[in-house]
Amino acid sequence: MALGYVGVLTVRIEMPWVTNLKEKRALVRPVVERLKARYPLTVARLDGLDAHDWEVIGVATLSNDYGWVEETLRMAADFIAREGEYRVAWEATDITVLGEDGED
């Protein structure tokens, strides 16, 4: 039986109309902060920090309930897609099983 599950969501967002980093941060930072406040997640801006027109956001959560991890990451992906003035280029979800316990 699994001890728990770690779920990771990675989302690449694109804003080809943005022309500078300050403008991009003004679009991305509020969404990241609201996501952290609304859901039990760890959220980080992972890649594209020096690019003005794209960024990768990472989201992670941990639970002993696989369904809860899956649903929480889906809600986070939906939130990211609808809350910002950008387009989601791609997203990937990975849920890892923690410590398979050999005893029943």
Side-chain angles (χ1 to χ4, degrees):
M1 182 169 184
L3 295 175
Y5 305 91
V6 175
V8 177
L9 168 69
T10 309
V11 180
R12 179 184 167 116
I13 56 176
E14 295 180 347
M15 305 141 278
W17 55 90
V18 172
T19 59
N20 62 61
L21 292 175
K22 185 176 179 181
E23 186 180 357
K24 180 184 85 167
R25 279 192 301 271
L27 294 174
V28 176
R29 186 175 289 152
V31 173
V32 168
E33 294 303 318
R34 286 193 309 264
L35 189 60
K36 289 193 286 191
R38 180 173 227 162
Y39 300 102
L41 301 165
T42 298
V43 184
R45 297 168 61 209
L46 299 176
D47 196 8
L49 301 178
D50 293 331
H52 69 275
D53 59 347
W54 67 276
E55 189 156 320
V56 176
I57 299 172
V59 176
T61 193
L62 170 73
S63 176
N64 65 341
D65 182 343
Y66 183 92
W68 184 89
V69 170
E70 189 175 45
E71 181 178 341
T72 301
L73 294 178
R74 173 55 27 217
M75 288 188 302
D78 292 345
F79 183 87
I80 291 168
R82 76 172 177 267
E83 290 295 316
E85 296 180 32
Y86 45 70
R87 70 172 181 247
V88 174
W90 57 258
E91 68 180 58
T93 302
D94 182 41
I95 300 175
T96 303
V97 178
L98 292 177
E100 290 284 339
D101 186 6
E103 298 178 21
D104 290 326

